[in-house]
Amino acid sequence: MKGPKMLKVIENKPIAGYVYSLKLHAPELCERVLPGQFFHIKCGGDKFPLLRRPISLSYTLMEEGCMVLVYRVQGQGTKNLSSRRPGDPLDVLGPLGNGFEITNRHQRVAIVGGGIGIAPLVELAGVYGKRAVVFAGFRDETFLIEGLQQRSPDVRIATEDGSVGYKGFVTDILAQHLKEHRFDVVFACGPRPMLQRVAEACRKALVMCQVSLEQRMACGVGACLGCSCAVKDTDGSLQYVRVCKDGPVFWSEEVCWDE
Amino acid sequence: MNRVDMSVSIAGLKLKNPVMTASGTFGFGEEYGEFYELKRLGAVVVKGITLKPRQGNPPPRTCETPAGMLNSVGLQNPGVDYFLEKELPRLLDKGASVIVNISGATVDEYCAMMEKLEPSGVAAVELNLSCPNVREGGIAFGLRPDAVYDVTRRVKECGDRPVIVKLSPNVTDIVEIASAAKEGGGDAVSLINTLLAMDIDINTRKPVLGNTYGGLSGPAVKPVALRMVHQVAEALDIPVIGMGGILDWRDAVQFILAGARAVAVGTANFVNPLAPVDIIDGIEKYAMQQGFSSVEAMVGALL
Ligand SMILES: Cc1cc2nc3c(=O)[nH]c(=O)nc-3n(C[C@H](O)[C@H](O)[C@H](O)COP(=O)(O)O)c2cc1C
Ligand code: FES
């Protein structure tokens, strides 16, 4: 039966300010994990920090039997995680949640990420390759660009300070692009205000959009109802669903953005 | 070495071992049932249900605090009828002993649920008189001895199933409340529920939880829980189910030594999905090493 696994840390290094790339040896999980799924990680400490931290798959390296998770140091959990060294064991539960809905019918897709929300999209970019246009937004410092480009050549960059690519929000270049080009689906991950703008742009352009949501989690497996977000039921009424088990990927039109 | 008799009798039930799950931390068993066989547990205590479905509180509903966590789930559940029709048969199929945690806004609601549960295959009913997160969560009853007495007595009249009364730690005198549950005819008491708490984000200057207040659980509450279990077990002749911050078998053994006949594992499930079964194994090893022939012999064996 499934349970937490002890995985070996191969590499754990900073790739930008506060952003770390964690490579784990996990040949069996590599075969199974889907783009958009996450792992629930015991970041260290016996009782403090107590709970696991959800971190999404960024990409797999099949030949090496490794997977890479990219995370931002935000609190005590991720701070502890950043001090893990190569060779250390790491207690990992997963893969958990539903990944992005991927089908062969999608001939042209847009993949939109903001900040650390770019990390979960790298493996997805590999699935769609030349069929995707990737939009990556950062405040200032960029990361994971090479990884994206290797998988999907058309990568458009926006930075808020204008240091690389378009100066401004990634949602601006996406909205402009949606006016001129036809996409079968848009995939997005990033801060909630950004996702809301992506959803709005897709609604106007009549394109379906899948968003990957973040929420504080406790169990990560669907048992505690601690990670709920509000969605619209088929009859229009509001209902709480579990980000960890029913998501983390949702259709943008289901999400109650104002909740 | 001889094997240890792990079974315990509590509230008229014979459990194969003293380890249960704490209500609200284990859903209806479906998720953790993918990690191990649910029939290995002494009992599965399912998440709190109410007469009518409830949506629960607005997010965020959880946050971590030093050696613990806050939750303000607010009894989100599909209601007793859905539970009986869809969830219970699946659990019983797995061979689990099922204890149902119920909450009501009025005594009549508790009774109505008891009547619906009576003809089903549930092993016992746990009255949640202590959910800090919603007005209808029974907290209105759990803080006053006369109200605890009244709701326990009325529910006992509605059926023959064993009734466990779950107590709130947010009271001045826990023994007085437990005593009221016993007088009302309660077959056992379980304690503790979460401690009413809050957290604040100094950057947004807002409460962290969508509901402002929530319940504190996890290792941080263990010393308080242990003290309350000890007080009740010392003072009263009623079986006690101990919980609050049990993370591993050592914690569980402490509760048993303090006088608990059974223990429940809550927040620890989130940290280690195998915690309850690891704890069962750990208690057995400890009992063996210490020369106890049964878990029952360990109950209250504090020197
Ligand atoms: C997320 C969560 C939900 C809970 N829901 C319920 C509930 O529905 N009914 C109830 O009686 N107790 C509920 N509790 C309280 C637990 O059953 C238990 O009494 C408490 O968490 C202390 O144990 P622990 O420290 O092992 O978690 C809940 C606790 C948590 C953390
Ligand atoms: S984190 Fe427990 S249900 Fe999602």
Side-chain angles (χ1 to χ4, degrees), chain A residues 5-27:
Chain A
K5 293 192 173 58
M6 282 296 177
L7 301 182
K8 191 161 122 189
V9 175
I10 303 298
E11 193 176 74
N12 189 21
K13 58 167 198 215
I15 56 170
Y18 297 101
V19 178
Y20 281 73
S21 171
L22 170 69
K23 186 161 144 187
L24 298 169
H25 185 65

Side-chain angles (χ1 to χ4, degrees), chain A residues 40 216-228 242-245:
Chain A
H40 215 22
R216 289 166 191 279
M217 289 185 191
C219 72
V221 298
C224 74
L225 306 184
C227 63
S228 299
R242 302 162 296 181
V243 171
C244 70
K245 181 89 173 184

Side-chain angles (χ1 to χ4, degrees), chain B residues 170-231:
Chain B
N170 304 306
V171 296
T172 320
D173 184 353
I174 193 75
V175 174
E176 191 185 16
I177 304 281
S179 176
K182 179 177 152 67
E183 294 309 315
D187 299 283
V189 290
S190 56
L191 63 156
I192 59 173
N193 206 317
T194 54
L195 284 144
L196 193 57
M198 90 181 277
D199 198 9
I200 293 173
D201 182 329
I202 59 167
N203 294 315
T204 61
R205 277 193 277 137
K206 287 181 180 166
V208 175
L209 296 175
N211 188 48
T212 305
Y213 302 137
L216 174 64
S217 64
V221 311
K222 193 188 72 173
V224 176
L226 211 47
R227 181 267 294 177
M228 288 187 162
V229 163
H230 186 251
Q231 283 181 320

Side-chain angles (χ1 to χ4, degrees), chain B residues 22-25 48 71 75 101 128 166 192-194 217-218 243-245 266-267:
Chain B
S23 176
T25 65
N71 91 81
L75 292 178
N101 179 278
N128 182 2
K166 183 156 178 181
I192 59 173
N193 206 317
T194 54
S217 64
M243 74 192 87
T267 304

